[in-house]
Amino acid sequence: MPGTESKHVKLGLFETPVLNVGGMTTWTHPENQTHRYADLSYWVETAQRLQDATFDFCFLADSYGHGEIGGARPDVNAREAMELPRLDPMLLVPAMAHAAQQLGFVVTASTVFEPPFANARRFSTLDHLTRGRVGWNVVTSSFAESASANFGRPMVPHDERYAMAEDHLLTTYAVLEGSWEDDAVLADKASRTYADPAKVHRVTRTGPYFSVDGYSNTAPSPQRTPVLFQAGTSEAGLGVGSRHAECVFLQGSTRARLAEHVTTLDRLAVEAGRAPGSVKTMVGLSVVVAPTREEAQRRYADYLALNTRESAIASYALFTGVDLGAFDPDAPFSGIRTEMGQSQVERHARSEGPGPTVGDVIEAHRTRGSRGMVAVGSPDDVVDEVLGLVDATGVDGFLLEPFVQPGSVVDVAEHVVPRLRAAGRFRTEYTEDTLRERMFGAGHRHLPADHPGAAARTWATA
Amino acid sequence: MPGTESKHVKLGLFETPVLNVGGMTTWTHPENQTHRYADLSYWVETAQRLQDATFDFCFLADSYGHGEIGGARPDVNAREAMELPRLDPMLLVPAMAHAAQQLGFVVTASTVFEPPFANARRFSTLDHLTRGRVGWNVVTSSFAESASANFGRPMVPHDERYAMAEDHLLTTYAVLEGSWEDDAVLADKASRTYADPAKVHRVTRTGPYFSVDGYSNTAPSPQRTPVLFQAGTSEAGLGVGSRHAECVFLQGSTRARLAEHVTTLDRLAVEAGRAPGSVKTMVGLSVVVAPTREEAQRRYADYLALNTRESAIASYALFTGVDLGAFDPDAPFSGIRTEMGQSQVERHARSEGPGPTVGDVIEAHRTRGSRGMVAVGSPDDVVDEVLGLVDATGVDGFLLEPFVQPGSVVDVAEHVVPRLRAAGRFRTEYTEDTLRERMFGAGHRHLPADHPGAAARTWATA
């Protein structure tokens, strides 16, 4: 792909205060320290380690829900700490950000469950406290059925959730972009003028789901609106993503599909009136790297051996609602189409063998979980894979999904980061102050003029 | 009052990330550093200073609203940074708690605006991260009209807000007390048992305002339910407070009224089936202390001089909805009865002079704001006043309302704390791990058996 060969790679860590990530049950690995998930020191150490390796940011996933099969939580979910226990990830950020004063933080929050005014105030607060290093991973809500029941609410249907997300975002922009002008705050004790009353505006917006009539509680933070992240490639999701997202997470299966997603997103964003390159893309990547290829493969096998058929069935049900354990393992999978199983079907189709059985899909989930791409090998193997992926697909970078913590990060920091730097493909130090500038270059602290959020700055065009 | 003479005094700091507290406009004072309200270092320093002085906790007030007169925010509110800008105070706690590992934190959250499941998860997360040093100041919501408009919601009437609070609290208990048994978590890698499925329960509760059907996201934190704080002495407020609160903040006007409130609360709590002494009381106290009485009085006069008639009218309107500026200053106040003005009327009544005018009440608010008691003087003066208040009224301690920050805390730490310690009336070091034990003694980590929250532990009585 022309022009991308020397592109710098973006790196984030996919984390959250639970015992397992990636739909696998690796918490029992002797090197895994995720049992320290409720210890602030663990998170402070993680932030410092990522900052030492000049990662772009730490990404914190979230959900209020949990997996069920037939309306009940399977016993294996409690035994293997699947999804629960979980803490609120946003509350880790202030301590991590104070200890690591350059690292970025991307926090997940749901447009279904968080009221826009409160959510806007939280992200604005984080953006103030971190001096502009915060992103918001906008989700319509994962595990929506159990999360809704926890909130005592009926579940909002899938496509309507995206209409809510659109309305939520427009309300958020009204609050964070429309209320206080850039130079409203003077903070001048001598003249007794903290803010110029003429530059603090009442914002009034009535939407189909959300409304606001008042003033942002917060003065403008360095970025105002946090950098907007989004995941998901459903049609409705792509619509919201291409209009609003500044960075989209993709879970790739093949280079061809990943390249197609990258191209589609850019085209949709341009169709939505945004400049080419307005939407960065990052792909989930699980890395197992060791001094030798054999050592890496041995470790990878150790991780996979921790996942059982039972945990794979429960994990599959969490993401799809389908209980594969209720079917004959030898039955063809083709009758039970789910998005997650679909990639297995495609892989088999390409191999031109018979279609996969239910048992094949269970086994595939046991060894893959909800993870996307995996790079296993020596340092050179992994660096070749990482740069090859970027150069072949146009993706901007990677969200590292650890198998064990801190081990997976330590290994990447030791074996991969120095080689990317030596190749001129990764920063050696931080050069921008805010997360948005880190993503889009110096001077790009705020949403650009062609982003729908900019239209909320009515004071700028009045 | 027998038995209270040697009682230890409890001390908290009343704070929040705004420029002014206490309904006054002291942000312009040269020593005031509240313009650093968005700087995490400022809050970390505050926490360390409080911990060095062995304060019980830092209390963080909150509201989503702002003051208006006739549907508009007065210009003076922007100029003097009244109420706004404001950050979300909860997000200060993780960084403060990591820097000060023994200090307690009490965070305000509204039962009208925060959904119970999300709110429970946030407080449980804080209780995990602080290892049991968190309290929740339960408010039905201050500045409710403008806060509701910010959320695009109709305002809930005053008394109904307390019915919502009751329902919110019962839902919170179901989540935090009813889901995971005390010994549900084994975290045993060898046997691959993180939690015992038989000890993680689905909680189902349907209330008039709030419902839950699912599992607490969080495993039990050290205190489970945060220590429950409440303010307000309206009849509806006293009902919720006497049933649920473990510590009530009072804004005293006279020793006699304060003693009456303390007695009433204890009586109401006993009538609600709780043991005597179940509800601690703390009173707001503004302290100006200096090496000499004259120096303290000079400083106090400096603080009061910063408040103008205009800011007093705006502040009075914020708390009462009444625009005193619209009345003839010489008119009698008696026709405009508000709770806040009432204490002025009573003071005048006691002096047996003519009733106060509107202008008198404005001037009283200018020099008092929303503050309660004030102690101004030499170190001995203030210590005498503090201990005299405790011994005469039975109140358990004080919530220090600073005029300037960090000055007001520095002065109390230097001049008052050592004398209280020397008198055997204040701790010299922290001896309990959790905030509830600090309030009620070693061993009292959880809500007691006679608290309504304990009834949610259905697994304990099944």
Side-chain angles (χ1 to χ4, degrees):
Chain A
M1 188 167 282
T4 60
E5 287 79 3
S6 60
K7 189 160 79 168
H8 263 219
V9 172
K10 298 190 187 308
L11 276 185
L13 173 68
F14 181 96
E15 253 293 4
T16 200
V18 299
L19 276 284
N20 298 296
V21 298
M24 292 180 166
T25 50
T26 53
W27 74 278
T28 52
H29 193 285
E31 288 173 16
N32 210 346
Q33 293 186 27
T34 56
H35 58 274
R36 292 178 59 208
Y37 78 102
D39 176 355
L40 264 181
S41 297
Y42 171 79
W43 294 103
V44 163
E45 292 161 17
T46 296
Q48 289 167 330
R49 188 173 293 114
L50 292 174
Q51 178 161 298
D52 289 344
T54 61
F55 270 54
D56 289 77
F57 55 80
C58 182
F59 174 89
L60 294 163
D62 195 20
S63 164
Y64 285 109
H66 56 269
E68 299 194 341
I69 291 181
R73 187 166 185 244
D75 281 355
V76 66
N77 291 31
R79 286 204 315 274
E80 295 279 6
M82 294 172 74
E83 314 112 44
L84 307 184
R86 177 194 296 128
L87 301 181
D88 189 311
M90 183 180 278
L91 289 163
L92 304 174
V93 173
M96 295 172 82
H98 190 64
Q101 304 230 348
Q102 295 179 287
L103 184 66
F105 297 89
V106 180
V107 186
T108 301
S110 161
T111 51
V112 169
F113 295 114
E114 310 296 346
F117 195 84
N119 188 64
R121 197 181 75 159
R122 289 191 174 101
F123 275 100
S124 182
T125 296
L126 286 181
D127 204 51
H128 275 289
L129 297 180
T130 64
R131 296 188 309 282
R133 294 181 284 140
V134 165
W136 171 19
N137 179 40
V138 183
V139 298
T140 58
S141 81
S142 48
F143 319 158
E145 189 165 349
S146 58
S148 298
N150 281 334
F151 276 66
R153 296 169 46 162
M155 187 170 74
V156 182
H158 182 274
D159 282 10
E160 190 175 355
R161 289 207 291 275
Y162 284 96
M164 282 183 79
E166 181 82 22
D167 192 38
H168 195 293
L169 285 164
L170 295 179
T171 309
T172 301
Y173 304 146
V175 174
L176 295 181
E177 303 284 340
S179 189
W180 298 60
E181 297 194 25
D182 284 344
D183 55 357
V185 173
L186 302 167
D188 180 17
K189 288 188 181 187
S191 72
R192 300 199 63 140
T193 310
Y194 188 77
D196 178 350
K199 295 184 175 180
V200 184
H201 305 283
R202 175 183 288 265
V203 288
T204 303
R205 180 182 180 278
T206 304
Y209 301 95
F210 304 108
S211 299
V212 60
D213 176 21
Y215 299 88
S216 175
N217 275 198
T218 59
S221 66
Q223 301 185 123
R224 287 186 172 268
T225 298
V227 183
L228 297 168
F229 287 70
Q230 206 235 6
T233 50
S234 74
E235 201 175 328
L238 279 175
V240 171
S242 61
R243 278 194 298 282
H244 298 276
E246 302 176 84
C247 183
V248 168
F249 292 129
L250 302 166
Q251 223 35 338
S253 52
T254 66
R255 288 188 178 191
R257 262 187 98 160
L258 185 57
E260 187 193 320
H261 274 139
V262 170
T263 306
T264 302
L265 260 169
D266 203 55
R267 177 176 57 73
L268 290 173
V270 169
E271 287 174 13
R274 302 169 69 189
S278 292
V279 185
K280 303 292 184 193
T281 50
M282 295 177 78
V283 63
L285 185 71
S286 302
V287 172
V288 187
V289 62
T292 66
R293 188 175 297 172
E294 294 66 34
E295 168 71 4
Q297 285 169 338
R298 191 187 58 70
R299 284 196 203 171
Y300 184 41
D302 286 347
Y303 301 146
L304 297 190
L306 296 172
N307 309 307
T308 63
R309 183 175 185 280
E310 188 185 14
S311 65
I313 290 170
S315 168
Y316 193 89
L318 169 70
F319 290 103
T320 64
V322 174
D323 176 16
L324 293 178
F327 295 90
D328 177 357
D330 295 324
F333 178 75
S334 55
I336 321 161
R337 287 182 178 265
T338 69
E339 198 177 337
M340 188 155 264
Q342 200 57 30
S343 62
Q344 302 306 320
V345 175
E346 284 175 14
R347 261 194 282 273
H348 274 269
R350 276 195 307 277
S351 68
E352 294 181 14
T357 64
V358 167
D360 290 338
V361 172
I362 293 172
E363 178 60 12
H365 196 76
R366 192 188 69 77
T367 59
R368 173 91 33 169
S370 60
R371 292 166 189 267
M373 291 170 147
V374 182
V376 181
S378 69
D380 287 341
D381 291 341
V382 170
V383 169
D384 286 350
E385 175 70 13
V386 160
L387 294 180
L389 264 167
V390 169
D391 296 341
T393 65
V395 78
D396 294 289
F398 301 91
L399 204 56
L400 181 68
E401 299 184 275
F403 285 103
V404 294
Q405 258 278 54
S408 295
V409 173
V410 168
D411 291 343
V412 167
E414 182 178 345
H415 298 300
V416 180
V417 165
R419 285 171 171 79
L420 290 176
R421 285 173 174 165
R425 300 296 294 271
F426 193 59
R427 72 174 62 79
T428 54
E429 58 180 356
Y430 294 106
T431 50
E432 298 88 10
D433 291 334
T434 65
L435 182 58
R436 187 170 280 114
E437 290 172 294
R438 193 169 295 163
M439 302 293 288
F440 293 97
H444 295 273
R445 290 164 76 102
H446 294 154
L447 288 172
D450 60 7
H451 187 280
R457 296 195 283 260
T458 47
W459 47 265
T461 53
Chain B
M1 189 168 279
T4 61
E5 288 78 4
S6 60
K7 190 159 80 169
H8 263 220
V9 172
K10 299 191 187 306
L11 276 185
L13 173 67
F14 181 96
E15 254 292 5
T16 199
V18 298
L19 276 283
N20 298 297
V21 299
M24 292 181 168
T25 50
T26 53
W27 73 278
T28 52
H29 193 284
E31 288 171 17
N32 211 346
Q33 293 186 26
T34 56
H35 57 275
R36 293 178 59 207
Y37 77 101
D39 176 355
L40 264 181
S41 298
Y42 170 79
W43 293 104
V44 163
E45 291 160 18
T46 297
Q48 289 167 329
R49 187 174 295 115
L50 293 174
Q51 179 162 297
D52 289 345
T54 61
F55 270 54
D56 289 77
F57 55 80
C58 182
F59 173 90
L60 294 163
D62 195 20
S63 164
Y64 284 109
H66 55 270
E68 299 193 343
I69 291 180
R73 188 167 183 244
D75 282 356
V76 66
N77 290 32
R79 287 204 314 274
E80 296 280 7
M82 295 172 73
E83 313 111 43
L84 308 182
R86 178 194 295 129
L87 301 181
D88 189 311
M90 184 181 277
L91 289 163
L92 304 174
V93 173
M96 295 172 82
H98 191 63
Q101 303 230 347
Q102 295 179 288
L103 185 67
F105 297 90
V106 180
V107 186
T108 301
S110 160
T111 51
V112 169
F113 296 114
E114 310 297 345
F117 195 84
N119 188 63
R121 197 180 74 159
R122 289 190 174 101
F123 276 100
S124 182
T125 296
L126 286 181
D127 204 51
H128 274 290
L129 297 180
T130 63
R131 296 188 310 281
R133 293 180 286 140
V134 165
W136 171 20
N137 178 40
V138 181
V139 297
T140 59
S141 81
S142 48
F143 319 156
E145 189 165 349
S146 58
S148 298
N150 282 333
F151 276 66
R153 296 169 47 163
M155 187 171 73
V156 182
H158 182 273
D159 282 9
E160 189 176 356
R161 289 208 291 275
Y162 284 96
M164 281 184 79
E166 181 82 24
D167 192 38
H168 195 294
L169 285 164
L170 295 178
T171 310
T172 302
Y173 304 147
V175 173
L176 295 182
E177 303 284 340
S179 189
W180 297 60
E181 297 193 25
D182 284 343
D183 56 357
V185 173
L186 303 167
D188 181 16
K189 289 188 180 186
S191 72
R192 300 200 64 141
T193 309
Y194 188 78
D196 178 350
K199 294 183 175 179
V200 185
H201 305 283
R202 174 182 289 266
V203 288
T204 304
R205 180 181 180 278
T206 304
Y209 301 94
F210 304 108
S211 299
V212 60
D213 176 22
Y215 299 88
S216 175
N217 275 197
T218 58
S221 66
Q223 302 184 124
R224 286 186 173 268
T225 298
V227 183
L228 297 168
F229 287 70
Q230 206 235 6
T233 49
S234 74
E235 200 175 329
L238 279 175
V240 171
S242 61
R243 278 194 299 283
H244 298 277
E246 301 176 85
C247 184
V248 169
F249 293 129
L250 302 167
Q251 226 30 343
S253 51
T254 66
R255 288 188 177 189
R257 260 185 100 159
L258 185 57
E260 187 193 320
H261 275 138
V262 170
T263 307
T264 302
L265 260 169
D266 204 55
R267 177 176 56 74
L268 290 173
V270 169
E271 287 173 15
R274 302 169 68 189
S278 291
V279 184
K280 302 293 183 192
T281 50
M282 294 176 78
V283 64
L285 185 70
S286 302
V287 172
V288 187
V289 61
T292 66
R293 188 176 298 172
E294 295 66 34
E295 167 72 2
Q297 284 169 338
R298 193 188 56 72
R299 284 197 203 171
Y300 183 42
D302 287 348
Y303 301 147
L304 297 190
L306 296 171
N307 309 307
T308 63
R309 183 175 185 278
E310 189 185 11
S311 65
I313 289 171
S315 169
Y316 193 88
L318 168 70
F319 289 103
T320 64
V322 174
D323 177 15
L324 293 178
F327 296 89
D328 177 356
D330 296 325
F333 177 76
S334 54
I336 321 160
R337 290 187 174 261
T338 69
E339 198 176 337
M340 187 156 267
Q342 199 57 32
S343 60
Q344 303 306 319
V345 176
E346 284 175 14
R347 259 192 283 273
H348 275 269
R350 275 195 306 278
S351 67
E352 293 182 15
T357 63
V358 167
D360 290 337
V361 173
I362 293 172
E363 178 59 14
H365 197 75
R366 192 188 69 75
T367 59
R368 174 92 31 170
S370 60
R371 292 166 190 267
M373 291 169 149
V374 182
V376 181
S378 70
D380 287 340
D381 291 341
V382 171
V383 169
D384 286 350
E385 174 69 15
V386 160
L387 294 180
L389 265 166
V390 169
D391 295 340
T393 65
V395 76
D396 294 290
F398 302 90
L399 204 57
L400 181 67
E401 299 184 274
F403 285 102
V404 294
Q405 259 277 53
S408 295
V409 172
V410 168
D411 291 343
V412 167
E414 181 179 344
H415 297 301
V416 180
V417 166
R419 284 171 172 81
L420 290 177
R421 285 174 175 163
R425 301 295 294 270
F426 193 58
R427 71 173 64 79
T428 54
E429 59 180 357
Y430 294 106
T431 50
E432 298 88 9
D433 291 334
T434 65
L435 181 58
R436 187 170 278 113
E437 290 172 295
R438 194 169 295 162
M439 303 293 286
F440 292 97
H444 295 274
R445 291 165 75 102
H446 294 154
L447 288 173
D450 61 8
H451 188 281
R457 295 195 285 259
T458 47
W459 48 265
T461 52

